[in-house]
Amino acid sequence: MTKDGVQGAVEEADQAPSKKGLKKQQKEAEKVAKKAEKQAKLAADQHSTDDDDFAKDRYGVPPMVQSQQKLDRGLVRVQELTPEKAGRLIWVRARIHTSRAKGKQCFLVLRQQQFNVQALVAVGERASKQMVKFAANINKESIVDVEAVVRKVEQKIESCSQQDVELHIERIFVISQAEPRLPLQLEDCVRPEGEGDEDGRATVNQDTRLDNRVIDLRTTTSQAIFRLQSGVCQLFRDTLTNKGFVEIQTPKIISAASEGGANVFTVSYFKTSAYLAQSPQLYKQMCICADFDKVFCVGPVFRAEDSNTHRHLTEFVGLDIELTFNYHYHEVIESITDTMVQIFKGLGDKFQTEIQTVGKQYPSEKFKFLEPTLRLEYREGVAMLREAGVEMGDEEDLSTPNEKLLGRLVKEKYDTDFYVLDKYPLAVRPFYTMPDPNDKKYSNSYDMFMRGEEILSGAQRIHDAQLLTERAIYHNIDLEKIKSYIDAFRYGAPPHGGGGIGLERVCMLYLGLHNVRQTSMFPRDPKRLTP
């Protein structure tokens, strides 16, 4: 054999597939053949049954909705399916939550957000056996339009939100087909804590939920959480608007760190650097100096803290308040606590369905609060902790375990989950915090707590340019970078105060949940930037 011939044989041998490769190719070929065979069989079945299927126009997969036409057809909400509608022929659009074929009938559970209803397709005058088979084979999570008669049921359907009625389907069309294999099962996602461990059924861990957040958000629990969260924002806005507050929007790209600390995200800003706002603090105060008197804002807040805890996020929604007062910053505390109480009352009045839905999966004690809100001084809190055996200094900040312990002690003594801790040590507060005039070690600042965890940090702000400059220098803040802020106080500024509330924490603690990621729709933390 020539040299070229040998080389060609070697190359051919190298290119020849391995046994493993051949096996893989064979499996792929079998897979393709099976798929083709299945499709051919379905087509043949469809062709052979079309002629003798009297209901063939009553089910199927219509063309994709591309706004081809406007149908004069009203769709009834699942939530509205009550015994009063019994006997009516209606149209509903919903997802296939579950399906179960049994002989000549198929039971479906149709889900729409946090509400669901049982539906039945049965062979009869309006449905053929082919229609029943079609309904049974629709993939879970597919979106369907059904025409059905509402029927009362003799025995309550405990597994559905609409327990007193079911739908007898006469037409069913698939509007959007889900893939047959879901990344997670919704029934696993809503299983109460610990229940799956007992009988070996699957539960879904937090990372899997968050990696497949769109599916996880479809669960009745997630739907309830985020509807209640929307309610918190609405109640916050309505309460403050009724109190004469003005809603403002503040910049999130700023020239200096809002809180004067190192926990700030730096971003490229053309030929220089900028920062993501840790708080709308400075701008709220500038609005007060501009005579807006009472302002609030709802928006994102960024914290570059490498904290992988149950309650920290690198981006969260801040509910911020700032207002002038006449003679004492306790006027501010009273205004904020009253706002929180109105939110708690509003949630209890308007969101009982959502609270109960969440409670089925995550049971917790009912949230308790007092009117007027309990206010303790920091020194009193430290004394209570020392009585409980905690060793801590007078000017030491509260650690997370001590916050939780103090929350339990306050609950035992005062029977409230919501309280204010006033007069924090000046050393642990931001540069713009007003010192206590009677004891320079302390400050006119406060935190508010729910179930032993902080949800708001606030204070009387320094409204004198000279004192503000001194405190900024003490905190090693570059005066040039906050010049426009300090200048705002040189032309007359009223005494004022306020606070910033973490929306996700409020929802987590009100519902008695254990992780702030459960109340953040698409959470951001040091280890998560997607989805």
Side-chain angles (χ1 to χ4, degrees), residues 393-513:
D394 290 345
E395 296 180 69
E396 192 180 326
D397 203 359
L398 285 181
S399 65
T400 301
N402 285 348
E403 274 185 10
K404 288 186 173 181
L405 174 57
L406 184 57
R408 290 197 295 274
L409 295 172
V410 168
K411 181 73 181 285
E412 286 170 15
K413 188 171 181 179
Y414 299 101
D415 196 30
T416 181
D417 289 307
F418 177 62
Y419 73 99
V420 181
L421 201 57
D422 190 18
K423 295 286 181 193
Y424 265 72
L426 183 62
V428 301
R429 305 305 271 199
F431 76 95
Y432 47 72
T433 305
M434 182 67 80
D436 183 334
N438 302 315
D439 188 340
K440 297 299 180 187
K441 288 195 299 184
Y442 291 91
S443 64
N444 293 353
S445 66
Y446 43 86
D447 279 1
M448 296 183 188
F449 296 84
M450 290 173 64
R451 298 192 199 263
E453 296 195 40
E454 177 228 317
I455 54 109
L456 174 143
S457 190
Q460 177 184 353
R461 323 300 188 182
I462 295 171
H463 58 281
D464 177 80
Q466 183 57 42
L467 180 55
L468 194 58
T469 303
E470 289 170 15
R471 293 300 299 162
I473 292 168
Y474 180 82
H475 280 263
N476 297 316
I477 292 170
D478 185 344
L479 294 181
E480 195 55 39
K481 288 187 174 178
I482 58 168
K483 184 178 181 301
S484 59
Y485 170 63
I486 292 177
D487 285 349
F489 298 94
R490 296 190 189 282
Y491 314 111
H496 63 281
I501 303 163
L503 171 64
E504 292 86 351
R505 279 195 196 177
V506 169
C507 297
M508 171 183 80
L509 295 164
Y510 182 82
L511 291 168
L513 300 174

Side-chain angles (χ1 to χ4, degrees), residues 14-244:
D14 287 344
Q15 288 170 8
S18 63
K19 282 186 179 179
K20 194 175 180 181
L22 280 167
K23 206 170 184 180
K24 192 176 179 183
Q25 284 178 7
Q26 192 178 344
K27 274 190 176 176
E28 287 294 328
E30 285 174 6
K31 205 172 175 182
V32 170
K34 275 185 183 175
K35 193 174 180 181
E37 188 184 334
K38 189 177 179 182
Q39 285 175 339
K41 187 174 184 300
L42 282 170
D45 286 349
Q46 184 70 33
H47 183 71
S48 64
T49 57
D50 269 357
D51 295 335
D52 58 356
D53 183 4
F54 68 87
K56 63 185 177 184
D57 296 328
R58 294 181 165 274
Y59 66 94
V61 183
M64 182 191 298
V65 176
Q66 292 182 288
S67 305
Q68 299 96 323
Q69 58 182 327
K70 281 185 179 179
L71 289 180
D72 185 20
R73 177 192 294 168
L75 296 173
V76 176
R77 307 289 298 169
V78 168
Q79 184 183 5
E80 297 166 2
L81 296 174
T82 58
E84 288 71 34
K85 286 190 168 57
R88 282 181 55 184
L89 183 67
I90 53 121
W91 280 93
V92 171
R93 177 169 293 176
R95 287 188 185 275
I96 301 286
H97 186 61
T98 60
S99 64
R100 178 170 53 90
K102 190 178 179 184
K104 293 183 177 182
Q105 55 189 17
C106 175
F107 287 95
L108 304 171
V109 172
L110 302 177
R111 191 188 75 250
Q112 191 180 75
Q113 297 164 346
Q114 71 266 50
F115 304 100
N116 52 24
V117 65
Q118 182 170 283
L120 172 68
V121 193
V123 174
E125 288 180 12
R126 312 295 283 175
S128 61
K129 63 181 181 181
Q130 293 92 334
M131 181 172 163
V132 172
K133 186 178 178 183
F134 173 82
N137 286 325
I138 300 172
N139 296 333
K140 281 201 289 188
E141 292 305 295
S142 295
I143 299 171
V144 296
D145 275 1
V146 300
E147 186 184 40
V149 178
V150 182
R151 300 288 187 204
K152 281 186 189 178
V153 292
E154 291 178 8
Q155 195 172 348
K156 281 185 181 291
I157 303 166
E158 300 291 347
S159 59
C160 292
S161 65
Q162 309 312 105
Q163 299 186 348
D164 300 313
V165 295
E166 69 178 8
L167 299 179
H168 288 208
I169 293 175
E170 298 193 354
R171 297 175 193 265
I172 182 165
F173 298 99
V174 177
I175 300 303
S176 179
Q177 181 89 276
E179 290 191 2
R181 187 167 181 175
L182 296 170
L184 43 81
Q185 299 299 320
L186 269 73
E187 53 265 38
D188 296 338
C189 290
V190 297
R191 193 158 285 128
E193 291 180 314
E195 192 178 286
D197 303 334
E198 293 169 11
D199 51 19
R201 286 186 292 176
T203 51
V204 184
N205 68 39
Q206 183 174 273
D207 280 337
T208 303
R209 289 175 183 274
L210 296 179
D211 289 341
N212 301 281
R213 193 60 159 153
V214 170
I215 303 291
D216 184 48
L217 288 173
R218 292 179 188 176
T219 65
T220 50
T221 304
S222 290
Q223 288 282 319
I225 288 170
F226 291 104
R227 286 168 196 285
L228 181 134
Q229 186 176 94
S230 173
V232 172
C233 288
Q234 190 64 49
L235 290 162
F236 179 75
R237 282 191 167 100
D238 289 350
T239 302
L240 291 177
T241 301
N242 290 338
K243 285 174 179 278

Side-chain angles (χ1 to χ4, degrees), residues 235 343-352 355 510:
L235 290 162
I343 290 172
F344 300 148
K345 284 181 173 179
L347 293 177
D349 291 343
K350 299 176 183 177
F351 291 88
Q352 272 308 311
I355 292 165
Y510 182 82

